[in-house]
Amino acid sequence: MKREFLQDLRVGDQPLPKEVVDAIMAENGRDIQHHKDQAQSWEEKYNSAVSAHSAELSRLAFTASLERAITRHGGRNVKAISAVLDLETLQGQQDTDSALDQALTELKKEHDYLFARTQTPPPYAGGTGALYTAPQTPTTLVGALKERFTK
């Protein structure tokens, strides 16, 4: 509200007294300041929410990268492997994927029991030392009937 607007107002033939105009302008100033303070408060809340959200997104992206890298390296348990790694140092790296790969390769050398074996031994029948072969059973109904009635 402009002071000139109030000074141009008339009550009857008389203009508004200077004290009334000053009182209205002072109240208007307090009202404007109150709204500015509220706007600044909301802006601060917005900025803090944006920074918290950004931090949460970066944490989630790192966690997803970590789980993908552990799975790619054949990790048996993501929680156990994560507990052994220095996650704060890895999270601070520029290229997290290569840092994770390098850390997991070193961890695999030191603690290979945390990772699945790449070569599985051939299946042996327990106690015989001979290779286990599955019994030859018919896979269709016709094959089962032929086997039953040819005996």
Side-chain angles (χ1 to χ4, degrees):
M1 181 178 310
K2 302 229 181 217
R3 184 175 289 278
E4 291 81 26
F5 172 75
L6 291 175
Q7 289 172 346
D8 290 342
L9 284 178
R10 301 206 175 267
V11 178
D13 291 336
Q14 299 289 329
L16 289 176
K18 181 176 179 2
E19 297 82 26
V20 172
V21 172
D22 290 341
I24 292 172
M25 290 304 292
E27 182 62 30
N28 188 36
R30 283 190 292 276
D31 200 27
I32 289 172
Q33 188 60 42
H34 172 71
H35 289 298
K36 282 182 179 179
D37 292 343
Q38 279 184 332
Q40 185 177 5
S41 170
W42 281 107
E43 185 177 5
E44 290 170 1
K45 288 178 183 179
Y46 167 77
N47 290 336
S48 67
V50 165
S51 66
H53 181 67
S54 296
E56 181 69 14
L57 279 177
S58 68
R59 186 190 66 77
L60 286 173
F62 177 76
T63 302
S65 295
L66 175 66
E67 289 178 2
R68 276 193 313 269
I70 290 173
T71 303
R72 191 172 51 245
H73 281 270
R76 291 184 179 196
N77 188 332
V78 174
K79 268 186 167 179
I81 294 172
S82 297
V84 177
L85 292 173
D86 184 12
L87 298 180
E88 290 178 8
T89 304
L90 291 171
Q91 205 166 10
Q93 298 291 326
Q94 290 289 340
D95 186 15
T96 56
D97 289 336
S98 64
L100 283 170
D101 285 339
Q102 182 181 5
L104 288 170
T105 302
E106 291 173 10
L107 185 66
K108 194 182 255 188
K109 290 177 186 174
E110 295 173 16
H111 305 288
D112 65 338
Y113 58 90
L114 291 173
F115 298 90
R117 305 230 187 275
T118 55
Q119 296 176 345
T120 57
Y124 288 101
T128 63
L131 256 168
Y132 173 76
T133 56
Q136 298 296 325
T137 58
T139 58
T140 62
L141 178 61
V142 173
L145 289 173
K146 282 183 184 178
E147 182 180 338
R148 171 78 171 117
F149 289 113
T150 56
K151 288 184 180 181

